[in-house]
Amino acid sequence: MTPDNDPRPWSVESSEYLHQLPWFTVRKDAIRMQNGGTIPNYFVLEYPDWINVVAITTEGQVVLIRQYRHGIAGVHYELCAGVVDPGEEPLVAAQRELLEETGFGGGQWTPLMTLSANPGTHANLTHSFLAIGVEPKQAQHLESTEEITVHIVSPERAWDIINKGEMMQALHLAPLLKYLAER
C-alpha cells in the first residue's frame, strides 16, 4: 500500500539526447516537480539492463571471477555478470553469461533480487539470480575485451573476501550477502 502523501512522479517538459552509444547514452530532461519546482537540466544515463549470478557448485562452493576494472584501476572479486541483449530475457542472459565467463552451467535457477545502480541517474535495472548446483560444462568463451579468471571459493572464504574489501562492486555484494546471510 502506498501512503497518500508519497511524492508523485515528475513531469518531463522536454527531453534530448546529448550522446548515444551502446555503453554511454546521456539524456537531458527538463523537469517540473509536483510541488511546482523545476529542474531545467536533469541528466539520466541509459544502459541496457544488467544481470549477475550467485553461482553455487554441486559441492556448495561459490563461483567468483576476477577482472580489471579501469574506472577504479583495480582487480577485484566479482560475480559473473553482463548485459541483457535486446529481446533477451534476464534469466537467459544470466545463464549465457555464466557459461561464457566461467564455463559453469546447469543447476537450479531462481531470481534473487532486482536492484538499481543509482535510481536517481540510471534508467536500467540489475537482475540477480541464484544458481544452485552448477557444474563445469565447457571452457570459458570470452569476448576480446574480457580478461577474466575464475575462482571457486568456500562460503567462508566468500565472507573473508567481503570483509577484507576484496569485492568492490555494490551490485555484486548485495546479492552475495543476501545468499550468505540466508543459507
Side-chain angles (χ1 to χ4, degrees):
M1 186 166 101
T2 303
D4 291 337
N5 65 343
D6 258 7
R8 302 289 182 240
W10 298 341
S11 298
V12 178
E13 305 220 320
S14 67
S15 186
E16 73 174 294
Y17 283 98
L18 303 178
H19 195 77
Q20 282 185 284
L21 287 174
W23 294 107
F24 187 68
T25 297
V26 180
R27 187 181 79 228
K28 181 176 83 166
D29 293 345
I31 300 297
R32 177 164 306 281
M33 300 167 59
Q34 293 303 308
N35 67 7
T38 61
I39 306 172
N41 296 305
Y42 196 99
F43 299 97
V44 177
L45 301 172
E46 294 184 4
Y47 296 98
D49 278 1
W50 299 323
I51 58 85
N52 62 44
V53 182
V54 176
I56 309 301
T57 68
T58 53
E59 295 81 24
Q61 303 294 296
V62 182
V63 180
L64 297 177
I65 64 170
R66 284 177 64 84
Q67 63 182 317
Y68 175 76
R69 293 301 191 175
H70 191 64
I72 60 172
V75 177
H76 297 91
Y77 286 97
E78 296 183 354
L79 297 177
C80 167
V83 172
V84 179
D85 290 336
E88 187 177 38
E89 291 296 318
L91 175 59
V92 173
Q95 292 169 331
R96 173 183 52 75
E97 288 287 349
L98 183 67
L99 194 60
E100 289 173 0
E101 289 188 357
T102 70
F104 280 79
Q108 305 262 332
W109 289 71
T110 55
L112 189 58
M113 62 189 348
T114 300
L115 301 167
S116 169
N118 182 341
T121 60
H122 286 59
N124 68 323
L125 296 174
T126 297
H127 307 277
S128 300
F129 292 91
L130 176 62
I132 300 283
V134 300
E135 300 176 296
K137 298 288 187 183
Q138 67 180 40
Q140 285 177 295
H141 182 71
L142 300 177
E143 297 174 19
S144 64
T145 58
E146 294 177 314
E147 296 175 323
I148 295 172
T149 57
V150 179
H151 300 265
I152 310 304
V153 303
S154 68
E156 294 76 23
R157 174 66 179 122
W159 275 115
D160 190 49
I161 287 167
I162 292 166
N163 288 327
K164 288 182 175 179
E166 296 178 47
M167 182 178 276
M168 300 293 293
Q169 170 50 279
L171 293 171
H172 296 201
L173 280 163
L176 182 56
L177 283 169
K178 180 176 181 174
Y179 166 75
L180 291 170
E182 292 178 351
R183 72 179 192 95

